[in-house]
Amino acid sequence: MRRFVAHFVAVDWADPGGTEPWGPADGTVLALPGRALVARIAPARAAEGWCAPPLDEHLAVDADACRDQARLECADVLQTGRSRPVIGALRWLAETRAAHPGARLVAAALPDGGWVAAGGEGGDRGAVLLPYGTTPRGTPPGWSLVPSCLHGWLVAGHALRELGLNRYHGNGG
């Protein structure tokens, strides 16, 4: 089986009725305060043939598996391809953010199904512990669209700190 290392992803606010183009059956749905976001892998520019362009389109890369430096440098979202305990995830975040400062969101999966993520604009550079599961729905095996939903949240003008249970600072964030 071929392992995917990069995807173009489209993210938009979920349509609670489940009608096209952004219903729950389309991809990973992430319930957030007040609304829900849905992300799906976009085989081409997601806006083509749709009524309106989505909230966000971006390149998401599995930084554990990708060896293509150009893809890593162009990625909006860098995520882990395998889970790590919290301390290891925080270390991975710090190292990945330092190596690829152009990524808007960096996220590491945790063994319990949550994430540690960091990203955004301005001085808020701390990492946030997020309880959201990693089970992909409608995505290739081993790939999660949760970080892409989080990127959409940032694009919509929100901050990760609005979602997190705990904030980590220092070497991990």
Side-chain angles (χ1 to χ4, degrees):
M1 174 170 45
R2 180 177 174 247
R3 180 168 179 182
F4 290 88
V5 297
H7 292 286
F8 284 102
V9 179
V11 180
D12 210 347
W13 298 112
D15 176 2
T19 60
E20 288 297 327
W22 290 100
D26 288 324
T28 296
V29 177
L30 186 61
L32 299 169
R35 292 191 73 181
L37 285 168
V38 62
R40 72 178 185 186
I41 292 176
R45 303 279 308 165
E48 291 177 12
W50 292 13
C51 298
L55 168 68
D56 174 34
E57 293 178 286
H58 62 267
L59 177 64
V61 174
D62 176 344
D64 287 335
C66 185
R67 299 295 170 248
D68 181 345
Q69 284 302 313
R71 260 190 198 162
L72 289 166
E73 295 305 317
C74 292
D76 302 293
V77 174
L78 290 172
Q79 63 190 73
T80 58
R82 60 181 177 84
S83 65
R84 292 168 165 76
V86 172
I87 297 301
L90 290 169
R91 188 175 308 114
W92 184 90
L93 283 179
E95 291 168 0
T96 303
R97 288 175 76 187
H100 307 286
R104 174 114 191 247
L105 180 92
V106 179
L110 301 173
D112 67 358
W115 291 84
V116 175
E121 305 294 330
D124 184 15
R125 302 291 289 175
V128 179
L129 174 64
L130 302 159
Y132 309 114
T134 60
T135 304
R137 197 172 73 198
T139 59
W143 190 269
S144 177
L145 291 172
V146 169
S148 288
C149 287
L150 298 173
H151 186 269
W153 181 253
L154 293 174
V155 168
H158 298 283
L160 291 178
R161 68 180 172 272
E162 297 172 46
L163 306 174
L165 296 176
N166 297 302
R167 296 188 62 214
Y168 297 95
H169 297 281
N171 291 340

